[in-house]
Structures are given as C-alpha cells and as structure tokens.
C-alpha cells in the first residue's frame, strides 16, 4: 500500500533564493552527505522535462543503480518542482517540493512524497524520513517535521 510522507522545514532565507538552491544537483548531494552517495550526478540544475539516471548508494549498503528521475515541472513563480522517480524496488517515488515565504521573513520548505515499493513501502518510507530530515539538518533548517500516512 502506498504511503505519503510530508516533511516541512523552516528556513531564515528568502524563498526565491532558497528555491534556486533547491534546483541544484550539487547542493542536494552535499545536503545528503552522511546518508547517500550519488554517482553520475548531472552538473547544474534540474530542468523541466528532463530525465536523469543516477546511481544512488544509501548508507553504503543499499545500492540503487540506474535510479531514474523525471522532472515533470519546474515552476519558478510558484517555487514548485515535481518529479517522478523509480528504480530497483522503487515502483513510485513522486516528489513535490515547494518553498513558500512566511510572514515576518523566512520561508517554509515542504517535501511531499508518494512512495510505493510493494512489500518494502514501510521500510522505504522510514528511509525517506531519515534521508530528508538529514538533508534539512545539513542545510541548517529548523522546526523539521515528518509525517507519514497510508494512502
């Protein structure tokens, strides 16, 4: 049964500047240090309509070769990116990232993931929770919440 994971984080940064950083593959790899290693990572930023094939190694034991990331939407005006991802046992890893300004300054980054990994969905949702929380801690985010539910 698929699960939805929602991670929210507060940042003291300008929403447009943070969104621009969120599109960078290099920034994502740096933010995930300690959890995942990416090989064949493209240079530059994510581009709408592009498909990327990356080798991912989580905790140096979970190898996911030929992990496919299709970037469906990059909307700068709404500060929203949507991707459809899959690979190895991951049937579906649909990711929507948004960055919204907060009154009084700063912004709220939200990651929404729909995860389907057959019998391993619960485990992979747990892995995703750790991976995304680590990314945001490494970026110095605050008030990190992560909630999962069956869908």
């Amino acid at each position: 049964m698929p699960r939805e994971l929602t991670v929210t984080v507060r940042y003291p940064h300008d929403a447009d500047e943070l969104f621009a950083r969120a599109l960078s593959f290099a920034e994502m790899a740096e933010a995930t240090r300690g959890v995942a290693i990416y090989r064949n990572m493209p240079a530059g930023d994510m581009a709408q309509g592009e498909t990327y094939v990356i080798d991912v190694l989580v905790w140096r034991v979970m190898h996911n070769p030929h992990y496919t990331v299709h970037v469906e939407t990059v909307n700068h005006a709404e500060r929203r990116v949507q991707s459809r991802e899959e690979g190895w046992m991951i049937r579906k890893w649909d990711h929507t990232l948004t960055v919204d300004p907060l009154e009084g300054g700063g912004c709220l980054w939200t990651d929404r993931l729909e995860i389907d990994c057959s019998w391993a969905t619960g485990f992979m949702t747990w892995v995703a929770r750790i991976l995304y929380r680590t990314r945001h801690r490494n970026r110095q985010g605050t008030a990190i919440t992560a909630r999962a539910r069956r869908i």
Side-chain angles (χ1 to χ4, degrees):
M1 173 177 273
R3 299 230 176 133
E4 180 183 72
L5 175 65
T6 303
V7 179
T8 59
V9 188
R10 291 179 181 265
Y11 285 94
H13 311 298
D14 173 78
D16 291 324
E17 290 174 13
L18 187 61
F19 181 74
R21 286 183 20 215
L23 297 176
S24 166
F25 284 108
E27 194 281 338
M28 180 185 73
E30 175 60 24
T32 312
R33 71 187 180 279
V35 177
I37 298 169
Y38 299 92
R39 294 191 178 103
N40 303 321
M41 182 75 86
D45 293 344
M46 295 177 205
Q48 182 169 307
E50 292 295 319
T51 299
Y52 306 96
V53 180
I54 304 166
D55 290 342
V56 182
L57 183 62
V58 178
W59 294 314
R60 298 188 185 270
V61 294
M62 295 173 53
H63 188 218
N64 194 346
H66 313 293
Y67 187 72
T68 304
V69 178
H70 176 71
V71 180
E72 283 192 344
T73 306
V74 176
N75 186 318
H76 291 274
E78 295 178 7
R79 291 177 301 279
R80 178 175 47 88
V81 177
Q82 291 178 289
S83 64
R84 295 196 183 274
E85 306 173 24
E86 62 181 25
W88 188 47
M89 75 164 124
I90 298 171
R91 294 178 179 174
K92 181 179 193 180
W93 190 286
D94 290 356
H95 182 200
T96 302
L97 179 160
T98 58
V99 179
D100 297 306
L102 295 171
E103 287 187 31
C107 59
L108 184 69
W109 177 317
T110 303
D111 291 297
R112 279 197 180 81
L113 298 109
E114 187 175 327
I115 300 168
D116 183 1
C117 301
S118 184
W119 59 270
T121 298
F123 173 72
M124 291 305 293
T125 302
W126 175 77
V127 169
R129 181 187 301 247
I130 292 170
L131 182 118
Y132 282 84
R133 288 177 66 166
T134 299
R135 280 183 182 169
H136 291 296
R137 282 187 187 122
N138 287 344
R139 290 180 179 122
Q140 308 304 311
T142 62
I144 301 169
T145 65
R147 293 185 179 89
R149 68 180 183 97
R150 289 188 174 108
I151 52 174

